[in-house]
């Protein structure tokens, strides 16, 4: 079992930046491939970005490529999502996600493959 706690959300203006953090506790965070999803009311949760256990690979949704960057600290226990050039359409509740230990994250990994979720952090971008 692992607990995921997000932080860093807030209210910003279009064009601003935010950095979200996700701290993993309960087990060694570096054992988990991790990612971010987001959801707005009435819509399905959608993939944003992901990073493999060793940080060797990262994946991004087309909507955020070139603007968002996912990374993790050396110990692997905290994953970050640096969000630049934010747009009003980025407004959502952002969820941290993790797979079970040592399971990979690939380009085909989707919401059904996520084993652990955080509680979410709200990002609101005003125009």
């Amino acid at each position: 079992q692992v607990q995921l706690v997000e932080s860093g959300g807030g209210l910003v203006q279009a064009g601003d930046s935010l950095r979200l953090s996700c701290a993993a506790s309960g087990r060694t965070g570096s054992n988990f491939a991790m990612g971010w999803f987001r959801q707005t009311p009435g819509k399905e949760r959608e993939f944003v970005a992901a990073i493999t256990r060793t940080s060797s690979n990262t994946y991004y949704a087309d909507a955020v490529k070139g603007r968002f960057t996912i990374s993790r600290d050396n110990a692997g226990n905290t994953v970050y999502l640096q969000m630049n050039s934010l747009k009003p359409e980025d407004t959502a509740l952002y969820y941290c996600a993790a797979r079970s230990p040592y399971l990979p994250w690939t380009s085909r990994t989707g919401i059904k493959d996520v084993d652990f979720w955080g509680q979410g952090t709200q990002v609101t971008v005003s125009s």
Side-chain angles (χ1 to χ4, degrees):
Q1 192 76 7
V2 65
Q3 290 78 45
L4 304 175
V5 179
E6 304 101 330
S7 61
L11 171 63
V12 297
Q13 294 186 332
D16 286 350
S17 298
L18 272 178
R19 189 176 80 157
L20 304 183
S21 299
C22 175
S25 62
R27 285 193 176 181
T28 304
S30 59
N31 293 341
F32 299 83
M34 298 176 69
W36 291 91
F37 288 74
R38 66 187 182 186
Q39 189 170 22
T40 55
K43 293 188 177 181
E44 292 187 356
R45 195 169 297 187
E46 65 176 11
F47 171 73
V48 176
I51 188 166
T52 55
R53 282 194 309 113
T54 59
S55 303
S56 58
N57 285 302
T58 56
Y59 304 92
Y60 296 95
D62 288 343
V64 306
K65 279 181 182 177
R67 299 188 298 121
F68 291 11
T69 302
I70 190 170
S71 62
R72 62 196 309 162
D73 66 0
N74 289 337
N77 293 323
T78 302
V79 172
Y80 305 99
L81 185 67
Q82 178 66 42
M83 305 185 295
N84 298 329
S85 302
L86 282 162
K87 305 175 181 180
E89 50 263 44
D90 294 318
T91 295
L93 190 59
Y94 283 71
Y95 293 93
C96 183
R99 299 211 69 197
S100 289
Y102 301 105
L103 290 184
W105 201 302
T106 73
S107 59
R108 297 181 180 180
T109 300
I111 190 171
K112 61 178 173 55
D113 303 307
V114 172
D115 299 297
F116 304 101
W117 294 97
Q119 82 287 353
T121 185
Q122 179 68 38
V123 172
T124 303
V125 184
S126 64
S127 58

